Amino acid sequence: VTTPDVIFAVVGLFTAACAVLTVTSRNLVHAALFLAATLAGIGAEFLVLRADFVAWVQIVVYVGAIAVLFLFGLMLTRAPIGREALDSQNKGLGLAVSVALFIVLTWLMLTSSLADEVAFESAPGIVTIGLAVFSTWVFPFEAVGMLLLGALIGTVLLSRREDGESGTPQMPTHIESSDTPPAELERREGPARELETTAGGDA
Amino acid sequence: VSPIGPLLLSTFLFCTGIYGVMARRNSVLVLMSVELMLNAVNINLVAFQGLLFPTDVDATGHVFALFVITVAAAEVGVGLAIVLNMFRNRASVNVDDVDLMRW
């Protein structure tokens, strides 16, 4: 057991604890912040594994962008903060599946020859990564670029308001279903009606 | 670094993600759990980079980790857009409420 092993174990325990809190915490904003801590911990693990470039990409993309995106998602969907007491009835099943999978995979790992395999001291630097990306993996690189473009356009298309271009509101699509939760139009009319009645009461 | 530590951590994170996907109902939290699982894969990729390519002339593991990070970012963007749309149409982000396409 060397010093990097000890550092890895300590950071790993922190990361694992934050991951558990992410999926169990009742408050969804806390869950998002724990997720950010988990991702930062994984970045630190990359540093211990001497993957410097991947570590900083992890910090920039995940902790910097994706965690903030999740927080915005929670804000925009007005997530029921603190009210998520009614977890799904799959809780026991989920726990059973994940614990069983963890036990099986851990057993496989510990009995395999990986357990007594030792380590590696050198890691590819940024020059090697750049050369690999732009020579061996240049086609996947371009494909991922197109994927990001498609995701960008798709996200804009999916999340834009359905109002007409002239600014006149159009009817949102209603979904007919037996026990439908209130659709957007009903929610939007609610506060407007209240405003009207208060104005009438004043006059 | 011994490879068993990264592999154990990655397994744990993956199983935590599975639990989150199965047990939680808020779809934003389900997306967060999917992110946990993708990150678990990344740890494995980086760990096996050191195990399989001891010389530093090959960076396949790191390159694949970067690709996974990119695809995960795209997935979160589209996923949150879908969740927003769902919230507008159904006023709910509960995954159990979205059963229109269920047989």
Side-chain angles (χ1 to χ4, degrees):
Chain A
V1 176
T2 54
T3 318
D5 274 326
V6 175
I7 299 174
F8 191 94
V10 171
V11 181
L13 282 178
F14 166 78
T15 309
C18 284
V20 169
L21 286 170
T22 302
V23 295
T24 53
S25 92
R26 294 252 165 264
N27 190 324
L28 287 165
V29 176
H30 290 177
L33 294 176
F34 279 127
L35 180 77
T38 312
L39 298 172
I42 294 173
E45 299 287 44
F46 286 163
L47 279 182
V48 179
L49 291 171
R50 307 171 119 249
D52 299 13
F53 183 66
V54 184
W56 295 120
V57 168
Q58 167 94 5
I59 298 291
V60 168
V61 173
Y62 272 110
V63 184
I66 290 187
V68 175
L69 203 61
F70 273 125
L71 282 173
F72 268 102
L74 287 175
M75 262 163 52
L76 290 175
T77 55
R78 260 174 284 168
I81 293 164
R83 195 179 61 85
E84 224 214 2
L86 41 148
D87 246 349
S88 89
Q89 57 273 43
N90 290 337
K91 205 171 190 172
L93 184 66
L95 198 63
V97 167
S98 54
V99 167
L101 187 68
F102 181 71
I103 289 172
V104 169
L105 286 177
T106 308
W107 178 73
L108 281 176
M109 264 185 303
L110 292 178
T111 50
S112 75
S113 60
L114 279 172
D116 34 66
E117 197 96 31
V118 243
F120 30 98
E121 288 309 319
S122 64
I126 178 71
V127 175
T128 319
I129 294 177
L131 283 175
V133 165
F134 287 105
S135 60
T136 317
W137 304 104
V138 68
F139 180 71
F141 175 76
E142 299 290 344
V144 150
M146 288 309 288
L147 174 82
L148 273 182
L149 179 67
L152 179 72
I153 294 173
T155 306
V156 171
L157 204 69
L158 275 173
S159 59
R160 108 203 125 116
R161 286 255 160 204
E162 296 211 355
D163 291 353
E165 282 172 52
S166 57
T168 51
Q170 290 175 343
M171 289 290 289
T173 333
H174 280 268
I175 298 170
E176 299 300 333
S177 174
S178 50
D179 46 355
T180 323
E184 190 190 20
L185 192 66
E186 297 159 41
R187 279 194 301 106
R188 267 201 277 180
E189 276 178 353
R193 267 198 221 114
E194 278 171 29
L195 270 179
E196 263 179 26
T197 48
T198 41
D202 276 329
Chain B
V1 182
S2 150
I4 208 75
L7 294 187
L8 271 180
L9 177 66
S10 137
T11 312
F12 185 82
L13 289 182
F14 191 84
C15 294
T16 315
I18 286 183
Y19 172 77
V21 168
M22 287 184 76
R24 298 307 293 264
R25 305 172 93 182
N26 189 297
S27 40
V28 181
L29 216 129
V30 171
L31 277 178
M32 288 187 203
S33 307
V34 172
E35 284 309 299
L36 273 184
M37 290 155 78
L38 287 167
N39 267 282
V41 173
N42 269 348
I43 296 179
N44 261 358
L45 286 172
V46 170
F48 275 106
Q49 156 75 34
L51 200 62
L52 298 179
F53 308 113
T55 59
D56 52 1
V57 291
D58 204 326
T60 308
H62 288 188
V63 171
F64 264 78
L66 294 174
F67 282 151
V68 170
I69 289 176
T70 316
V71 174
E75 176 253 333
V76 169
V78 177
L80 279 177
I82 291 174
V83 169
L84 271 184
N85 236 345
M86 183 172 118
F87 179 72
R88 275 192 207 138
N89 285 328
R90 311 292 299 252
S92 159
V93 287
N94 190 333
V95 284
D96 292 343
D97 284 347
V98 195
D99 50 4
L100 210 68
M101 282 171 71
R102 199 165 72 179
W103 51 277

